[in-house]
Amino acid sequence: MKSRLSLLILFLTLLIAGLELYWGDAWEHQYLLWEFRIPRVIGALVGGSTLALSGVFLQTLFRNPLAGPFLIGISPGATLAMALGLFWAEQQWGWLLGTTEQILLALGGAFLALLLQLGLARKHSHPYQLLLVGMVLSFVFGAATDLLQNVASAERLKMFSLWSMGSFERVTLESLPSIVGLFIGLLALALMISTRMDAYLLGDLYAQSGGLSLKKTRHWMIAGGAVGAAWMTAICGPISFIGLVAPHIARELLTSASHRKLILHSVVWGAFLATTADFLAHHLMQQQLLQVNAVSALIGGPILLWSLLKKA
Amino acid sequence: MKLQRLHIALAIAFSCLLLASSCQESKGKLRLAQPNWMDNQYAQGFRLGTQDQDSFLLVFDPSNGDTLGQFQWGPQTYSGYTHLEARLRIASGSGVISGLMSALKSQDRIVAVDQRSYQPHLVQIREDLVQFSLGGSFNRDALIQSEPDLLLHYFFESGSRREIERLQPHIPVVWIQNYREKHPLAKSEWLRAVGFLLGRYSSADSLFAEIAHRYRELASRSLKPRPVFCNLPYSGTWAFPGGQSYLNTLIRDAGGLPIWPQSEGSESVILGIEEAAQLLEENPGALWIHPGDCPDWDCVVERAPRIMKQSAWLPSRMAQCDKGDFAGHVNRWYNEGGVRPDRLLSDLQHLTQDTAIEAEDLYFYRCLSPQP
């Protein structure tokens, strides 16, 4: 029954993606189709799946279904780096941020947060300590971003606000291979360590008695979760809800605790949420693009609530 | 029982005190008769009136007509109006307000500004010019210490309005919401309000009449329609001015045809990059204005690479509104353009009609072209 539902969701996702590709007169404008439409649609499909995978890694790592890239400071790290670039570097030195600089900045911020996290994880590898460190990092990065906003002009604030909305429109033909490659790599990693993640969820003692290297497994999960979220944030801006909600819905719908199944189902739900949110963001209001973040939360929230209430 | 009596006695005493204080307050104040209200031509955000030797200024929110303040000055005081004792030392909350005052040659009255770096020409006049705001942080102490008679300010949302209005016991705040006026001449007509407030009404009125006459004359010219495109993408979105916005009105009056969807309001129309690109594809030879904050063509290529690599879509002319700006902080287009829409319109007409070849033909715009 659950597998059938996910299959139905997969079919729906592909249907929406196909509909989006054929929407309007895109096929009459080949340049527009290849340069804008196809990267966006594939970006939403693959990007949503990557964010969902990132969510699976982080929720398993922290044994907490509320964990996500926002909680361990990765997205706030990228956001702080962008704020530094927009509010400080540009105002101080008149340095204009191009697309490449934006990606590099966000990536730098996300990886700096990841390095801090990994550095601290060396001495304190217990999930609760990691979670606490991540939350503290998030608060510190968030506070620094707020402070920077105080010295920003209205124009810069607007630019920052647009960046922080997140959008698959930013996926280009050039960046698409990196997103697809990353997704394939993360999926392979997730499937490879899925049995380890099964054991890890049973608790430290049980996992260790089964011969599992806790440290190694945690590092793989941190790296997988963080790299996926960091790269997507760098390319598309912070897209907050999908990484949290897709694995959550998949977990609620599955009866099995198998990570192999959870990974595949989460990928499908991630793609569905992202593709649907992108489709609705473009077509819900005529000639007015909506925020993907807001639309994904509006779709994912009720689904999540439904699954929780159904379980209760 | 005794306690109950005590309560009643206290309540009566308190009511008497309130009554006495209200009598004290209204003592010496007259009821407002009927001032002679002057008609505005375009502006919705203020009303000016006189009665005997007294002057009255009502300030409204141009977008919804809400009253934002009632001021009065002169020998008499009137209930319901804030009596302004002096109007010599002014704190200016934006470059636009300073621009209005400069146009009336009253810039020497400005003793404090929001940000010194935004108004370097005022710093040259007064080295001790106080800065009371940096970004979103409002420095109330610095503003009070500059001892202004009045604060002329604007607000975007009610939070910042409340924050600034906490100054009212110390400094009267006059809201200058001219940015919410939709017609270019309505923004400029605030010259009359500021001139009235500063005691320079006749010169303000004649300056506005001259600006309005020139604007109407330019707008009534028979012009060749020219497709106009604007702005730059940011983070996957492309924002265009709303159908009834200030910039849209200017473009249309300058003979331009905005090629983006025309909304009914003044709020921005937000499109995806693909939709914006399609507009350019369907309108070859469009004039492209306000390409973000790009100072040159290369910057536009960097910010919108997928658009700029399609040679068929490249605009026949691209113009940025940063001529004469200072160190990237001051935008004359905003600060002075709101006061002189006739000059803005003249620039835009030159651009839409391809009549401005030399840089000196333009007041606020510069043409951007690819490096040879």
Side-chain angles (χ1 to χ4, degrees), chain A residues 28-274:
Chain A
E28 290 167 25
H29 306 269
Q30 288 293 308
Y31 180 80
L32 289 176
L33 179 76
W34 286 98
E35 199 67 37
F36 297 94
R37 186 76 61 98
I38 288 176
R40 171 163 64 81
V41 172
I42 299 179
L45 273 171
V46 180
S49 301
T50 306
L51 287 169
L53 272 179
S54 180
V56 171
F57 281 126
L58 296 172
Q59 289 177 11
T60 306
L61 170 73
F62 295 118
R63 298 187 182 115
N64 186 334
L66 289 177
F70 272 78
L71 206 65
I72 63 162
I74 294 165
S75 300
T79 307
L80 173 61
M82 270 302 291
L84 270 171
L86 269 175
F87 302 151
W88 193 61
E90 285 199 356
Q91 280 189 354
Q92 289 293 315
W93 306 318
W95 176 40
L96 295 173
L97 288 181
T99 314
T100 318
E101 284 92 345
Q102 281 182 27
I103 291 177
L104 289 175
L105 258 180
L107 209 55
F111 275 99
L112 193 70
L114 171 64
L115 283 177
L116 267 172
Q117 182 81 337
L118 285 175
L120 293 163
R122 254 186 210 175
K123 285 186 180 172
H124 307 285
S125 56
H126 193 279
Y128 288 116
Q129 285 171 321
L130 273 176
L131 193 63
L132 204 61
V133 168
M135 281 172 70
V136 171
L137 284 179
S138 292
F139 283 128
V140 171
F141 293 153
T145 308
D146 288 345
L147 284 178
L148 280 169
Q149 289 187 50
N150 276 331
V151 295
S153 64
E155 183 77 5
R156 298 280 154 193
L157 277 174
K158 192 176 173 188
M159 289 167 90
F160 181 69
S161 137
L162 282 174
W163 179 82
S164 56
M165 282 175 189
S167 166
F168 294 108
E169 286 269 354
R170 297 173 215 171
V171 180
T172 61
L173 269 183
E174 289 78 26
S175 63
L176 196 56
S178 73
I179 297 178
V180 175
L182 180 74
F183 167 67
I184 293 171
L186 285 182
L187 183 63
L189 172 69
L191 291 173
M192 261 168 55
I193 64 166
S194 63
T195 46
R196 289 192 205 182
M197 291 200 282
D198 290 341
Y200 178 85
L201 261 196
L202 296 173
D204 287 0
L205 272 177
Y206 188 90
Q208 275 175 321
S209 65
L212 182 75
S213 163
L214 279 178
K215 208 172 176 182
K216 209 182 263 182
T217 309
R218 275 183 192 140
H219 282 176
W220 277 122
M221 286 192 285
I222 291 176
V227 171
W231 192 255
M232 287 314 298
T233 307
I235 305 272
C236 303
I239 296 179
S240 56
F241 207 66
I242 295 168
L244 168 73
V245 87
H248 204 82
I249 296 171
R251 196 176 289 110
E252 292 299 323
L253 291 174
L254 282 172
T255 43
S256 155
S258 157
H259 266 81
R260 187 170 284 268
K261 281 187 182 173
L262 176 68
I263 289 160
L264 295 173
H265 284 249
S266 300
V267 161
V268 170
W269 277 97
F272 170 72
L273 284 173

Side-chain angles (χ1 to χ4, degrees), chain B residues 76-246:
Chain B
Q76 304 293 326
T77 52
Y78 295 84
S79 58
Y81 284 83
T82 305
H83 183 79
L84 301 178
E85 300 292 344
R87 292 160 290 125
L88 288 174
R89 294 172 62 82
I90 308 294
S92 159
S94 76
V96 174
I97 294 167
S98 302
L100 285 164
M101 290 184 63
S102 298
L104 297 170
K105 301 188 172 36
S106 303
Q107 65 271 37
D108 54 337
R109 291 207 206 170
I110 300 174
V111 294
V113 290
D114 54 335
Q115 215 161 319
R116 282 168 60 102
S117 62
Y118 287 172
Q119 298 172 57
H121 59 292
L122 294 180
V123 180
Q124 284 171 2
I125 299 170
R126 188 187 282 266
E127 274 188 14
D128 61 344
L129 192 70
V130 171
Q131 170 171 292
F132 61 85
S133 179
L134 188 64
S137 308
F138 194 74
N139 189 340
R140 202 177 294 115
D141 293 343
L143 181 59
I144 291 171
Q145 279 164 20
S146 69
E147 296 178 341
D149 300 323
L150 280 179
L151 168 63
L152 308 189
H153 214 286
Y154 66 96
F155 65 86
F156 284 128
E157 33 78 41
S158 52
S160 62
R161 178 185 168 185
R162 276 195 298 272
E163 171 74 12
I164 296 169
E165 275 180 342
R166 286 169 64 194
L167 283 162
Q168 292 276 26
H170 307 281
I171 308 161
V173 182
V174 180
W175 295 113
I176 307 287
Q177 294 291 85
N178 68 334
Y179 80 92
R180 285 205 170 149
E181 300 279 4
K182 288 175 187 166
H183 195 280
L185 283 172
K187 270 185 207 277
S188 174
E189 195 171 0
W190 277 77
L191 274 169
R192 290 179 55 237
V194 174
F196 190 66
L197 188 64
L198 301 180
R200 297 202 167 168
Y201 180 70
S202 61
S203 59
D205 193 45
S206 58
L207 176 60
F208 174 68
E210 186 191 315
I211 291 167
H213 174 74
R214 181 146 186 267
Y215 186 99
R216 286 191 292 257
E217 194 181 58
L218 285 167
S220 63
R221 281 183 185 172
S222 167
L223 301 163
K224 187 175 67 185
R226 172 79 173 276
V228 177
F229 186 75
C230 74
N231 295 348
L232 263 190
Y234 198 81
S235 295
T237 56
W238 206 307
F240 294 95
Q244 302 304 316
S245 67
Y246 165 70

Side-chain angles (χ1 to χ4, degrees), chain A residues 1-2 5 249 252-253 269 300-312:
Chain A
M1 178 62 190
K2 313 292 179 188
L5 182 63
I249 296 171
E252 292 299 323
L253 291 174
W269 277 97
I303 297 176
L304 183 61
L305 272 178
W306 170 75
S307 72
L308 288 171
L309 293 173
K310 197 168 165 257
K311 197 182 171 190

Side-chain angles (χ1 to χ4, degrees), chain B residues 59-80:
Chain B
V59 184
F60 310 101
D61 186 329
S63 55
N64 55 23
D66 287 353
T67 303
L68 300 175
Q70 303 196 123
F71 304 93
Q72 172 267 321
W73 57 95
Q76 304 293 326
T77 52
Y78 295 84
S79 58

